[in-house]
Amino acid sequence: MEIQSLTISERIILAEALWDSVIAEDAKIELTESQKEELDRRLKTFEIDQDIGSPWSSVKARILSK
C-alpha cells in the first residue's frame, strides 16, 4: 500500500494508531545524551522563571494573524 494514496485524514489516523501501539507496549524511549541535557536545561529554566507559556488559543491566533 502506498501511504501517499491515503487521504490526509487516513494518514493521521494511521499515525495515531502507530503512536498508540508504541504507548501500549509501555516502551522506554531512549534519549541521547544531548537530548537529556537539553531537557535538563529547559527544566532548570522553567524552575527559575515559572513561565508556563501561552495558551493554545493565543498561539494559534498569533500564527493565523501573520
Side-chain angles (χ1 to χ4, degrees), residues 7-56:
T7 67
I8 291 175
S9 295
E10 290 170 331
R11 285 183 266 166
I12 291 170
I13 291 168
L14 177 60
E16 289 173 340
L18 287 170
W19 182 249
D20 289 344
S21 73
V22 170
I23 298 300
E25 292 181 22
D26 196 27
K28 300 286 184 214
I29 299 173
E30 294 295 321
L31 300 176
T32 66
E33 194 58 37
S34 63
Q35 289 170 323
K36 291 175 188 177
E37 290 170 2
E38 178 63 16
L39 289 172
D40 288 340
R41 183 191 67 75
R42 291 181 186 197
L43 180 58
K44 286 177 188 172
T45 299
F46 172 74
E47 289 170 344
I48 292 167
D49 66 20
Q50 296 292 306
D51 182 5
I52 61 170
S54 302
W56 171 241

Side-chain angles (χ1 to χ4, degrees), residues 51-64:
D51 182 5
I52 61 170
S54 302
W56 171 241
S57 57
S58 297
V59 174
K60 185 177 177 182
R62 284 196 310 260
I63 292 169
L64 294 176

